[in-house]
Amino acid sequence: MTTNESITHENPVHRRLGTAGLAVFPLGLGCMGMSALYGEADRAESIATIHAALDAGVTLLDTGDFYGMGHNELLINEALRTAPAAAREQALTSVKFGALRTVEGGFTGYDGRPEAVKNFLAYSLQRLGRDHIDIYRIARVDPDVPIEETVGAIAEAVEAGHVRHIGLSEVGADTLRRAAAVAPIADLQIEYSLISRGIEDEILPTARELGIGVTAYGVLSRGLISGHFARDRALAPGDFRGMSPRFQGDNLDRNLDLVDALRKVAEGKGVSVAQTAIAWVLSRGEDIVPLVGARRRDRLAEALGAMDITLSAADLAAIEEAMPVGAAAGERYPAAQMAHLDSEH
């Protein structure tokens, strides 16, 4: 795709994040891979991809202040500064904070203290070059700080005009209720895909009961169910997937067998595997907004094509047969990272 090509969709109905939250384009752009965890990225192509997303109508840009230790926020800043004014004005920023990093790139925990919230926020606003963040959330619950205190600090930032809406990330139903008792919550960001369906039992019903939207990340399971991941693929140094259980040994083979089954369903509809997987998440409810982690314009175009797919009852049944609930081999994170997930406890 050339720089001048555009990807358009005719007036898609926006989805609302929470009963008092934002109306956003049906797909959001997850920008993490442009800076971290998937090997080297092409800066110029990353910026062109953000521009293409905005041009296509995408509104929500998702990032974290710890993605590349601020690199991702600076990248988004550059992309927005160089975008047409109309595109820049429609952009909404969703920022995660709280992860503590080392010079070597390691993670050492999370800090949800109110004074830390204010500190993280100040740095993010500076890096993004904006006077407010549209949705602000701690990346993982700090086990040493009650969620009420962390959310209360974000609520103060809302009152001050520095934040528009409060979000949460990877929390369980109880924490969701406790947080919502403090202040209105726009959305819960959490992994949700054909092979990560744990939220369906308790977390998603609780979010719906409380009027909280869901921004679903990992809808292609970090490329595993995209249809593009080869069994013999060599991962670049520093690629997170090199440590991910679902990409290891027999687990990878079993999971790619599931992808092969899904491919048959996709081919029967004349669409790609990735489009089928994204369309399935879109079909789960108007209160769910999938985040697609496209780093290139061709992958973005493919993802946007999922919005043009209608899945019939027969299609959904075939998809479920290809990738049954609980069929994935391996946990979605290594054990040390799973321990940080309030949503898994």
Side-chain angles (χ1 to χ4, degrees), residues 11 27 43 45 86 137 145 172 181 196 198 207 217 221 263 299 304:
N11 302 316
L27 292 179
R43 186 180 188 86
E45 181 61 24
R137 70 187 88 239
V145 178
S196 295
Y217 77 88
S221 195
R263 193 185 310 276
R299 294 287 193 250
L304 289 168

Side-chain angles (χ1 to χ4, degrees), residues 234-279:
L235 295 172
D239 192 316
F240 161 80
R241 292 170 292 191
M243 300 181 296
S244 174
R246 289 183 175 173
F247 288 82
Q248 306 302 312
D250 291 342
N251 286 351
L252 178 62
D253 285 333
R254 289 167 58 192
N255 291 329
L256 290 181
D257 285 344
L258 296 174
V259 176
D260 288 340
L262 184 63
R263 193 185 310 276
K264 294 177 182 177
V265 180
E267 289 174 347
K269 288 188 65 66
V271 299
S272 74
V273 175
Q275 288 170 335
T276 304
I278 296 168

